[in-house]
Every structure is written in structure tokens, then in C-alpha cells.
Amino acid sequence: MTTVRDTAETIRTANRPQDLFGSATADSDSREEGRRRYHRLAAQVHPDRAAPGEIDLARTAFERLTELYRQWTEGDDTGMRVTGARASYPIGTLHARGTLADLYHSGSHRIVKIPRRTTANKLLAAERNALRDIAIVTGEHEWLRPYFPELVDTVDHRDIDTGAHRTVNVLNALTDGFVTLEQVRAEYPGGLDPRDYAWMHRRLLRCLSGAALAGWVHTAISPANVLIHPRQHGVVLVGWSFATRPGTPAAATFGAIDYPAEIKDAVSPATDVYLAHRLMLTMLGRRAPTAMRGFAAGCMQSDPRLRPEPADLLGEFDDLLDRLYGQRRFRPFELTKGQ
């Protein structure tokens, strides 16, 4: 059951009316759904229904909810923008809701990443540092550039209503034709053909090499954080908010990920090697050939010192593919639901 505190937090962290009520269109069904959503939320935080110890919390949430709903019904576009070191960025429609932050379209080429809670500011700051270091590496090794998001700008944003400061990152969009492996897995619940996952994994191994060169461990390699472009066979590793320097405990952990034991002590590039091969087994499911399962097992040994180095893995994986399938050929890959 949703509590007053849960609902109040949802209302407090909404950046715009659309976050609560959906797109403010003239479509009657959308408007009716937004109205029902408002009444459900209002009933949950109405001060007259709150327990004695939650009346002030409920009243604050109810007032903010009412104002957001007024803006939504009147089409009052506050024109929210954030201003960084290089430019000012309009906040458009919600693109995705991540573990820590909401990602908004800003024009056709930018994504603005805003943490839902100020406690995540330090993690967004870590993402900044990781992507800056990665940019230096990809400047020296151009072949690595396509596998990482680009940090376009940084914003230290102050919320007008609450006064809270948020660490906001502006990234290149990566929205045209890209889908997550989470979407791919939903379309292939029985597992991908290993010949299709082969090109995805090869490119992910390049991501691991780039991260190791930059001196960072991603620590959150999961279906939600790997983007692929099915037609162009592109792969980009996103979700760098959990990035951690080697030799330290992970900056944060996510309950849905099966971590190796060292995650709470001292991560290293071997941690990402483990997670990438856990992901391989997840994406292949029962379709994983015995030889690939063996390869993954070698990369998931409990002692991280026994796992292969990221720089060595691509050649070893190519040797495995040669033994399994012979000469490589381009395999078209399509999704019917996710694109």
C-alpha cells in the first residue's frame, strides 16, 4: 500500500507537471487519465485524511500537487531550463526514468539528466569525472569513441521551489534507433541467438578496455545500461553514475545486479569483467553454448585476480567465436517491438 510519505516524495521530486500527469495534450483520453491521476494522488495526501503526525507533510504535498495540476490543466508551460557552463537547455519530455535520475529530451541532440534526490548529487558528479577521463582516452584512441556517451555540459541547478541544489549532466542524446538490452531481452525472453549476441559482447568488451584505460570501473553493467543500435550494430555503455575508482568499494549498488564479492571492498576492472559475463549468460539464457558458458565461468571466478584482463578478452573471445562459428559474417538484427 502506498503511504502518505511515499506519495509526498513522488510529488516533491516531480520536476514538471508532466512527470505526474503525462503529456499535456488536447487528447481527451490523455486528459481524463491525467485527471484521474490527480484525484488518486490528492486522495492520498489530503490533509483531512492524514494521521496526526503527517498533517504538515500532507498539506505541503497537497499544495504542490494542486499547483502542478493547475499548470498542467492550463497548459502553463513554465519553460523550465537549466543553464550550464556552455549553454542553456530547455527541459522537454521525459525520455527515461533511471535508477537515480530522470532523463529529459532537450532538443533533438541532448539529454538532460536530473537526479530525483539531492543525495544522488555525488553520484552524478562521479559520472562527470568518469566521462571526462574517458573523453581523454577516446581522444587518444579514436576507435573507442563510439562506445561511450559524451558529456556535453554540466549544470549546478538550484530548484526555485525548494532551494535544493542538484548536480545535472547534459549528455548527447543516443535516442535515435538505440534500445536497451532490457528491451531486447523482453522481446527474446528465451534468450538471444549467440551469433547475434556475439557482436554486442565484442563491443561491450571494448567498453571495458576503455574504462580500464581511463582508470574507472563502471560497476553497474546490466541490461538497462547497455544500449544497442540493432541496424548499425552499435553498442554504448551508459549509466556511469555508479562509476568508481579501482581499489575502493563501489560508490553505490543496485539490488537487481548480481555482484561479485569484492563489490563492498575494492573494485577493479575485473569487477566489470565479471558483470559483463553475468550479463552474457542473462541475455543468452538456455541458448548459451557450452563453450560460451565455460568462457563466462572463467571470467566470473570468485578471485578477481584469476579473471582475464579486459585488454586480453577481445582476442580470446574472437578465438572462441572462430572455433564455434568459423569466419564471421554480418548478421542483420531487428526488433519488432523495441524500435
Side-chain angles (χ1 to χ4, degrees):
M1 179 180 294
T2 302
T3 67
V4 170
R5 293 188 181 277
D6 291 337
T7 305
E9 180 66 9
T10 297
I11 295 168
R12 187 187 69 80
T13 58
N15 288 298
R16 308 171 310 146
Q18 290 88 339
D19 294 345
L20 295 178
F21 312 118
S23 178
T25 67
D27 177 76
S28 60
D29 290 340
S30 298
R31 303 296 288 185
E32 179 61 21
E33 176 55 34
R35 186 189 69 79
R36 288 195 295 266
R37 175 69 168 161
Y38 165 72
H39 285 296
R40 285 197 297 270
L41 293 171
Q44 291 165 2
V45 295
H46 197 288
D48 292 347
R49 300 183 180 183
E54 296 179 328
I55 291 176
D56 289 343
L57 175 69
R59 181 179 293 111
T60 300
F62 186 79
E63 290 174 353
R64 175 164 172 75
L65 174 69
T66 302
E67 173 58 21
L68 289 171
Y69 186 62
R70 182 198 65 77
Q71 294 174 11
W72 190 79
T73 55
E74 295 178 3
D76 180 9
D77 183 357
T78 58
M80 180 179 172
R81 305 177 72 89
V82 293
T83 301
R86 298 182 178 180
S88 180
Y89 304 91
I91 304 300
T93 57
L94 183 68
H95 169 63
R97 190 171 175 87
T99 306
L100 305 168
D102 294 329
L103 285 75
Y104 296 92
H105 292 279
S106 184
S108 58
H109 302 295
R110 301 286 181 259
I111 288 290
V112 177
K113 187 172 182 177
I114 304 176
R116 288 189 291 278
R117 295 178 177 84
T118 57
T119 52
N121 283 347
K122 63 180 181 180
L123 299 176
L124 271 289
E127 178 177 69
R128 291 181 178 183
N129 294 332
L131 291 180
R132 283 168 174 158
D133 289 346
I134 287 169
I136 295 172
V137 168
T138 58
E140 297 171 351
H141 304 275
E142 289 284 337
W143 60 275
L144 286 170
R145 189 182 299 276
Y147 305 112
F148 300 96
E150 176 190 356
L151 180 67
V152 176
D153 206 346
T154 60
V155 180
D156 292 312
H157 178 68
R158 180 179 180 275
D159 189 291
I160 296 175
D161 295 327
T162 65
H165 289 266
R166 281 183 167 80
T167 298
V168 176
N169 294 338
V170 183
L171 308 168
N172 59 324
L174 295 174
T175 54
D176 186 14
F178 281 94
V179 297
T180 67
L181 284 187
E182 201 167 49
Q183 292 169 277
V184 174
R185 188 183 178 200
E187 189 156 335
Y188 291 88
L192 277 174
D193 187 313
R195 293 169 295 176
D196 289 321
Y197 192 67
W199 63 260
M200 303 175 199
H201 195 69
R202 290 185 79 252
R203 286 154 179 75
L204 182 57
L205 293 179
R206 294 177 182 177
C207 297
L208 303 194
S209 295
L213 284 173
W216 287 91
V217 184
H218 186 279
T219 79
I221 298 172
S222 67
N225 284 332
V226 179
L227 300 181
I228 70 160
H229 195 295
R231 292 186 300 276
Q232 298 178 6
H233 282 200
V235 170
V236 181
L237 182 58
V238 298
W240 287 88
S241 300
F242 291 77
T244 305
R245 290 290 190 188
T248 61
T253 56
F254 181 44
I257 296 178
D258 177 19
Y259 289 104
E262 74 267 12
I263 198 72
K264 296 181 179 180
D265 299 319
V267 301
S268 70
T271 306
D272 281 350
V273 168
Y274 178 102
L275 294 173
H277 290 84
R278 169 60 67 193
L279 176 63
M280 171 198 280
L281 296 179
T282 297
M283 296 303 300
L284 294 178
R286 295 181 179 179
R287 301 185 70 177
T290 300
M292 278 196 182
R293 290 185 181 278
F295 186 89
C299 294
M300 296 172 61
Q301 297 181 75
S302 58
D303 186 344
R305 295 171 297 181
L306 299 179
R307 300 173 204 153
E309 295 289 333
D312 298 331
L313 272 173
L314 185 58
E316 294 179 14
F317 189 61
D318 281 349
D319 290 342
L320 171 65
L321 295 178
D322 289 343
R323 292 195 302 272
L324 283 173
Y325 303 116
Q327 183 178 358
R328 287 193 295 275
R329 299 176 178 83
F330 182 84
R331 283 176 57 86
F333 182 71
E334 296 182 0
L335 297 178
T336 58
K337 303 174 184 176
Q339 290 182 270

